[in-house]
């Protein structure tokens, strides 16, 4: 184990975290103002989603200048102050690097589109005719560019043109830019959809949306090994690859230290268990048995292959987990704590998304006018054009929109939840007065204090990092139980994912001869555990067992 593998990473969506300037959007000085809170919480790294210069079509994932801080977030001096002030508190920055594509306002694209023989033409991917690949934001993945009469590839919005990673000049420019930020003192990188950077040379037609051809593409491992050599090697840096639609064997290869590619990987298979037939934009309940099986398979698979999971429920693209897999009504706090425990005792590096530590919920925006996300607005339009009625259209959007996780952070019960003095760019949820930092800081039984205990346990309990994972009761319809086993000791982790009480008999992994030490529970009283458990709604506990 390396020390960073005992870390916990906090994800900040700066647009919605805190505005020092009192604007509609958050800023870097707003993060500086909250560093003491983050230090108190106990996190080790801050993954901050992109704050570099951008037209903000995709909230910063459309970068127009990799060497400049977007003025809406502040200045380079503010960024340097943030790095320094975080460092004084033992916290490092993880910069979000978006290099599968740039904004079409980037100078490289402006040059490339100007003529067929411009030196930057081959920085992007051009074809005389499009194939039938689809954008992940709906519609064709190709946009016609009239000036030179060709189509360019965009796997996301048409304003986000895919870079041609087969061009060594593109790789050189990307690695140079990463060294610039490394030398500024960042402690790591989050690599946006990095497993999409290598496309097949012939761009074949597909009987689906094309992702099987460009996902984990032909040269991706070679390019990541080059990135490792040219940016990471010899430096105290960690990195995480966001792997869209990937496979286990690739993530083992991406994150096994012997590959010399990445530190760890995000995958999203566990966040598609409420996608009927893999269709995201349908309102649907989640499949619990599938959820725990996928998470278990990735635990045992990555452990066997020497890979390392990035563990998460929430991020800026996902709905709030307590609304999705928990209960955002009377059992909100119990289920939020249960979900935190269920994730934080897995092997890997946990990511806490801003507001997750409070048990923040989806906002329940009922009108399309309340939404800002380009993907959501594209889908609403395309579904309406396809004849889907607004009731079904909005039901799916209310459940699945990325805006569910992008509402302002709740700092206190006052104006705009303490996010900004100005009118926020997106609505503040109605329950901010009940769910906020100020309220929970002084409540030792709050979700916030539960997360703080989880974060501290990762450093104090070795088995959380290196215990062998073993699922228990795989077929149980409401309990996710697992072990993390060591020599003569083990952690027993039990989570009731539903509001019904439940009597359950554990396999003989616990008996009265073992010494028990309760590590955490979401109920105040936690009886001595036997094989026969009577679990209360959303009850969750972890007990350390030592053999006689
Ligand atoms: O996300 C890529 C990604 O896989 C999700 O956006 C998903 O494809 C999308 O929600 C459709 O279901 C990364 C960033 O996290 C996201 O915010 C960006 O919009 C996207 O890449 C493009 O840069």
């Amino acid at each position: 184990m390396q020390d960073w593998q005992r870390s916990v990473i906090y994800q900040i969506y700066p647009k919605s975290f805190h505005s020092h300037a009192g604007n509609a959007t958050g800023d870097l000085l707003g993060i500086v103002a909250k560093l003491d809170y983050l230090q108190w919480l106990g996190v080790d790294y801050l993954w901050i989603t992109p704050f570099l210069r951008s037209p903000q079509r995709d909230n910063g994932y459309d970068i127009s200048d990799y060497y400049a801080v977007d003025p809406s977030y502040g200045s380079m001096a503010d960024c340097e102050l943030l790095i320094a002030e975080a460092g004084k508190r033992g916290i490092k920055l993880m910069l979000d690097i978006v290099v599968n594509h740039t904004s079409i306002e980037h100078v490289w694209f402006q040059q490339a589109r100007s003529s067929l023989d411009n030196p930057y033409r081959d920085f992007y991917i051009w074809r005389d005719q499009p194939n039938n690949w689809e954008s992940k934001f709906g519609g064709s993945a190709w946009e016609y560019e009239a000036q030179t009469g060709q189509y360019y590839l965009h796997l996301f919005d048409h304003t986000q043109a895919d870079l041609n990673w087969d061009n060594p000049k593109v790789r050189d420019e990307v690695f140079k830019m990463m060294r610039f930020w490394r030398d500024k003192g960042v402690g790591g990188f989050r690599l946006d959809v990095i497993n999409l950077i290598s496309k097949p040379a012939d761009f074949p037609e597909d009987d689906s949306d094309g992702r099987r051809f460009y996902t984990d593409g032909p040269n991706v491992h070679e390019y990541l090994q080059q990135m490792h050599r040219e940016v990471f090697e010899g430096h105290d840096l960690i990195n995480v690859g966001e792997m869209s639609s990937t496979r286990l064997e690739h993530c083992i290869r991406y994150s096994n230290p012997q590959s010399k590619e990445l530190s760890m990987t995000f995958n999203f298979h566990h966040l598609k268990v409420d996608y009927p037939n893999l269709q995201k934009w349908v309102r649907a309940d989640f499949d619990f048995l599938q959820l725990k099986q996928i998470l278990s398979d990735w635990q045992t698979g990555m452990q066997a292959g020497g890979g390392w999971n990035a563990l998460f429920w929430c991020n800026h693209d996902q709905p709030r987990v307590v609304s999705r897999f928990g209960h955002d009504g009377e059992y909100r706090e119990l289920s939020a704590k249960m979900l935190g425990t269920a994730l934080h005792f897995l092997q890997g590096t946990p990511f806490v998304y801003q507001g997750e530590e409070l048990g923040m919920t989806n906002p329940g925006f009922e009108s399309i006018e309340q939404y800002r996300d380009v993907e959501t607005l594209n889908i609403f339009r395309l579904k309406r054009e396809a004849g889907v009625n607004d009731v079904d259209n909005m039901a799916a959007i209310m459940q699945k929109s990325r805006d569910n996780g992008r509402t302002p952070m709740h700092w206190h019960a006052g104006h705009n939840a303490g996010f900004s003095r100005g009118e926020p760019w997106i609505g503040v949820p109605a329950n901010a007065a009940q769910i906020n930092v100020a309220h929970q800081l002084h409540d030792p039984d709050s979700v916030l204090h539960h997360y703080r205990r989880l974060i501290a346990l990762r450093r104090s309990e070795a088995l959380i990092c290196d215990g062998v994972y073993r699922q228990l009761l795989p077929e149980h319809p409401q309990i996710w139980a697992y072990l993390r086993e060591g020599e003569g000791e083990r952690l027993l982790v039990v989570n009731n994912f539903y509001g019904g009480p439940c009597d359950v008999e554990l396999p003989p992994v616990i008996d009265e001869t073992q010494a028990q030490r309760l590590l955490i529970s979401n109920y105040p009283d936690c009886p001595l555990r036997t094989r026969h458990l009577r679990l209360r709604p959303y009850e969750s506990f972890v007990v350390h067992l030592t053999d006689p």
Side-chain angles (χ1 to χ4, degrees):
M1 286 300 153
Q2 300 180 52
D3 187 57
W4 67 264
Q5 290 176 295
R6 301 192 189 287
S7 298
V8 175
I9 299 177
Y10 189 90
Q11 183 195 351
I12 290 174
Y13 196 64
K15 195 164 188 148
S16 302
F17 189 65
H18 180 241
S19 174
H20 175 267
N23 295 334
T25 54
D27 48 39
L28 298 182
L29 291 181
I31 301 172
V32 173
K34 300 299 182 183
L35 286 173
D36 288 339
Y37 164 72
L38 295 164
Q39 183 184 27
W40 170 85
L41 187 57
V43 298
D44 304 283
Y45 290 83
L46 302 179
W47 159 26
I48 304 178
T49 57
F51 52 83
L52 304 182
R53 190 182 294 279
S54 161
Q56 296 295 319
R57 168 83 179 189
D58 187 14
N59 290 354
Y61 282 92
D62 47 330
I63 294 175
S64 57
D65 185 346
Y66 288 104
Y67 293 90
V69 174
D70 192 274
S72 66
Y73 289 118
S75 64
M76 184 59 86
D78 295 341
C79 180
E80 290 160 352
L81 177 69
L82 174 57
I83 292 170
E85 286 301 315
K88 289 175 187 170
R89 296 165 175 82
I91 298 172
K92 295 181 180 178
L93 251 62
M94 175 180 268
L95 198 69
D96 200 328
I97 292 289
V98 186
V99 288
N100 172 69
H101 47 270
T102 72
S103 164
I104 58 172
E105 293 186 19
H106 195 288
V107 63
W108 296 341
F109 188 83
Q110 292 303 310
Q111 288 286 319
R113 76 186 313 173
S114 66
S115 71
L116 292 173
D117 59 0
N118 184 284
Y120 285 94
R121 186 75 178 182
D122 282 347
F123 267 53
Y124 297 89
I125 296 168
W126 303 90
R127 288 286 177 277
D128 290 330
Q129 290 303 323
N131 64 14
N132 66 348
W133 293 5
E134 294 172 14
S135 159
K136 287 174 179 289
F137 288 172
S140 169
W142 300 87
E143 182 78 6
Y144 185 66
E145 202 290 313
Q147 208 166 329
T148 53
Q150 284 194 314
Y151 293 79
Y152 64 87
L153 180 67
H154 61 87
L155 296 181
F156 293 92
D157 190 63
H158 71 87
T159 64
Q160 297 167 288
D162 278 55
L163 283 167
N164 171 16
W165 271 74
D166 291 336
N167 180 347
K169 291 178 183 157
V170 167
R171 301 200 298 273
D172 290 345
E173 285 289 348
V174 167
F175 302 151
K176 183 177 80 171
M177 174 271 293
M178 292 178 74
R179 289 192 292 269
F180 169 84
W181 286 105
R182 178 194 70 194
D183 299 341
K184 276 260 179 244
V186 301
F189 296 99
R190 180 265 188 181
L191 299 163
D192 186 61
V193 291
I194 200 67
N195 68 319
L196 307 185
I197 58 177
S198 172
K199 280 77 173 181
D202 54 353
F203 292 88
E205 291 283 312
D206 187 26
D207 55 9
S208 178
D209 61 9
R211 70 181 63 196
R212 66 191 174 101
F213 291 113
Y214 58 74
T215 302
D216 303 320
N219 304 319
V220 67
H221 292 286
E222 175 197 336
Y223 295 158
L224 287 178
Q225 287 159 15
Q226 185 186 358
M227 181 186 286
H228 187 277
R229 289 193 302 276
E230 300 199 20
V231 180
F232 307 141
E233 208 148 65
H235 293 270
D236 181 18
L237 288 170
I238 65 170
N239 47 67
V240 55
E242 182 199 30
M243 303 302 178
S244 184
S245 308
T246 188
R247 296 202 308 271
L248 174 62
E249 57 269 29
H250 280 286
C251 285
I252 289 170
R253 195 168 159 198
Y254 290 131
S255 61
N256 183 314
Q258 291 172 8
S259 306
K260 293 187 182 297
E261 293 182 24
L262 299 176
S263 310
M264 56 188 135
T265 55
F266 284 122
N267 80 81
F268 295 82
H269 295 285
H270 63 300
L271 297 182
K272 296 185 176 177
V273 297
D274 54 1
Y275 289 15
N277 305 314
L278 286 178
Q279 294 306 307
K280 171 175 180 177
W281 295 101
V282 176
R283 206 220 69 74
D285 295 334
F286 74 99
D287 182 327
F288 172 63
L289 286 174
Q290 205 185 36
L291 176 67
K292 64 176 181 173
Q293 194 53 55
I294 289 169
L295 288 165
S296 297
D297 291 347
W298 278 79
Q299 282 288 298
T300 48
M302 290 285 261
Q303 214 161 47
W308 195 257
N309 285 301
L311 307 168
F312 70 115
W313 288 128
C314 299
N315 67 25
H316 61 291
D317 294 331
Q318 300 295 333
R320 292 283 178 182
V321 68
V322 73
S323 299
R324 188 177 194 179
F325 299 146
H327 186 284
D328 56 14
E330 64 173 301
Y331 294 122
R332 182 186 63 79
E333 291 183 282
L334 278 172
S335 67
K337 293 176 187 175
M338 179 277 292
L339 288 162
T341 297
L343 190 84
H344 279 250
F345 279 88
L346 295 174
Q347 184 178 69
T349 297
F351 284 68
V352 178
Y353 179 61
Q354 67 182 47
E356 177 189 341
E357 78 274 24
L358 304 177
M360 277 178 66
T361 68
N362 288 351
F365 292 157
E366 295 180 346
S367 162
I368 194 62
E369 280 69 37
Q370 293 174 284
Y371 291 86
R372 302 289 180 271
D373 171 30
V374 61
E375 178 193 24
T376 300
L377 298 173
N378 280 354
I379 291 298
F380 179 81
R381 173 178 51 79
L382 291 168
K383 288 252 181 189
R384 189 178 249 186
E385 288 167 1
V388 174
N389 68 71
D390 283 2
V391 171
D392 291 346
N393 208 345
M394 286 310 301
I397 283 170
M398 285 180 73
Q399 186 188 45
K400 299 285 180 51
S401 172
R402 302 192 299 177
D403 280 332
N404 281 314
R406 297 180 176 184
T407 56
M409 177 72 175
H410 299 170
W411 294 106
H412 56 61
H415 183 54
N416 293 334
F419 162 68
S420 174
R421 300 185 300 280
E423 186 58 29
W425 68 282
I426 190 170
V428 175
N431 59 17
Q434 291 76 42
I435 304 172
N436 60 70
V437 170
H439 175 69
Q440 295 189 29
L441 266 181
H442 306 298
D443 173 4
D445 292 331
S446 63
V447 179
L448 177 58
H449 278 266
H450 190 88
Y451 264 77
R452 187 169 185 246
R453 280 193 286 275
L454 289 172
I455 293 166
L457 281 167
R458 182 159 289 268
R459 288 227 171 263
S460 63
E461 296 293 333
L463 280 181
I464 297 178
C465 275
D466 43 35
V468 176
Y469 175 90
R470 178 152 66 100
Q471 185 180 190
L472 305 176
L473 311 171
E475 299 307 319
H476 198 287
Q478 70 180 78
I479 306 291
W480 182 22
Y482 60 85
L483 295 174
R484 299 295 310 281
E485 298 183 282
E487 288 300 317
E489 60 173 338
R490 64 196 58 75
L491 300 179
L492 171 63
V493 185
V494 179
N495 305 286
N496 181 1
F497 262 69
Y498 290 89
C502 178
D503 291 322
V504 62
E505 179 170 352
L506 289 173
V509 293
I510 181 172
D511 63 40
E512 60 285 347
T513 66
Q514 296 154 332
Q516 288 193 23
R517 179 166 55 91
L518 178 70
L519 294 189
I520 197 163
S521 169
N522 61 351
Y523 277 82
D525 62 320
C526 191
L528 198 60
R529 296 303 174 168
T530 65
R531 284 186 59 188
H532 304 276
L533 298 175
R534 173 170 292 252
L535 293 177
R536 293 162 283 189
Y538 297 99
E539 183 161 8
S540 161
F541 70 87
V542 180
V543 63
H544 178 279
L545 302 170
T546 308
D547 295 340

